[in-house]
Amino acid sequence: MTEEIIIAGFGGQGVLSMGKILAYSGIMEDKEVTWFPSYGPEMRGGTANVTVIVSDTRISSPILQEFDTAIILNQQSMDKFEKAVKPGGTLLYDPNGVIHPPTRTDINIYKVEGTKTAVDMGNPKVFNMIVFGSYLKVRPILSLDNVEKGLQKSLPERYHKLIPLNLEAIKKGQDIVETVQAV
């Protein structure tokens, strides 16, 4: 199994954090992993993306042109990465930041109301974990136990008190993901 993922949005949406947690969770599952971030000098408010590869076998390069899965959190990222999803691949998006939804008919498309759900939960900062939970529902490549270990590894110890809230958000994301199109 090899899963090649791009996560893209604005800086401050937790794009890089989501990728880091995904990568650490893969390590906890004894997988081969790469984490390759890319962001502009603006960081918060500028565009950011991260490529993560999780595999049972050695990974030859972290640089990809096509992806099995794209997690898209804003329109600029949709415009850039929708076409980079492999045919038969998966695209998840939050409609809050996307004006023009995806139009491809050869991929699986899922809508995640992550922003709205995070506000409903009373903590907009868990937005990325809601989206991450939706990803894990449609592409169950990691166990929730190892995701919890990944959270412990990637978050500084002073934030470990937030792990239960993050796990709650992940589970909520698994409940709210909506299939837009399946191929």
Side-chain angles (χ1 to χ4, degrees), residues 57-172:
T57 58
R58 286 187 158 248
I59 299 165
S60 59
S61 173
I63 300 169
L64 300 169
Q65 301 303 317
E66 292 185 310
F67 306 93
D68 298 309
T69 300
I71 300 171
I72 306 296
L73 305 178
N74 66 4
Q75 188 62 53
Q76 292 89 329
S77 298
M78 182 68 76
D79 295 343
K80 184 173 183 179
F81 294 113
E82 177 183 4
K83 59 189 169 285
V85 178
K86 296 174 187 174
T90 301
L91 188 147
L92 285 92
Y93 75 100
D94 184 312
N96 182 61
V98 175
I99 299 161
H100 305 290
T103 57
R104 288 188 49 192
T105 57
D106 63 337
I107 60 175
N108 301 298
I109 300 172
Y110 300 91
K111 181 168 70 171
V112 182
E113 294 277 359
T115 303
K116 179 185 178 310
T117 304
V119 170
D120 291 347
M121 287 179 69
N123 192 337
K125 291 183 179 184
V126 297
F127 156 76
N128 64 334
M129 290 297 95
I130 292 168
V131 175
F132 184 48
S134 293
Y135 166 73
L136 292 173
K137 173 73 174 195
V138 301
R139 302 288 299 153
I141 64 166
L142 302 166
S143 73
L144 199 53
D145 287 343
N146 285 321
V147 170
E148 183 173 358
K149 291 175 187 172
L151 280 163
Q152 290 169 351
K153 201 75 167 145
S154 63
L155 293 175
E157 196 165 319
R158 67 185 180 271
Y159 295 122
H160 281 198
K161 64 183 180 280
L162 300 174
I163 290 175
L165 175 64
N166 281 282
L167 290 172
E168 179 187 347
I170 289 169
K171 289 175 186 171
K172 191 69 166 173

Side-chain angles (χ1 to χ4, degrees), residues 1-105:
M1 177 285 301
T2 297
E3 176 82 355
E4 299 170 332
I5 308 135
I6 183 84
I7 306 168
F10 287 126
Q13 287 184 303
V15 169
L16 302 182
S17 298
M18 193 185 326
K20 191 175 190 183
I21 293 164
L22 177 60
Y24 272 116
S25 300
I27 291 168
M28 296 301 122
E29 228 163 275
D30 205 25
K31 305 281 188 198
E32 298 289 323
V33 174
T34 64
W35 179 78
F36 193 67
S38 174
Y39 49 89
E42 308 88 6
M43 191 62 165
R44 184 167 296 275
T47 58
N49 67 72
V50 62
T51 301
V52 179
I53 304 172
V54 179
S55 181
D56 292 330
T57 58
R58 286 187 158 248
I59 299 165
S60 59
S61 173
I63 300 169
L64 300 169
Q65 301 303 317
E66 292 185 310
F67 306 93
D68 298 309
T69 300
I71 300 171
I72 306 296
L73 305 178
N74 66 4
Q75 188 62 53
Q76 292 89 329
S77 298
M78 182 68 76
D79 295 343
K80 184 173 183 179
F81 294 113
E82 177 183 4
K83 59 189 169 285
V85 178
K86 296 174 187 174
T90 301
L91 188 147
L92 285 92
Y93 75 100
D94 184 312
N96 182 61
V98 175
I99 299 161
H100 305 290
T103 57
R104 288 188 49 192
T105 57

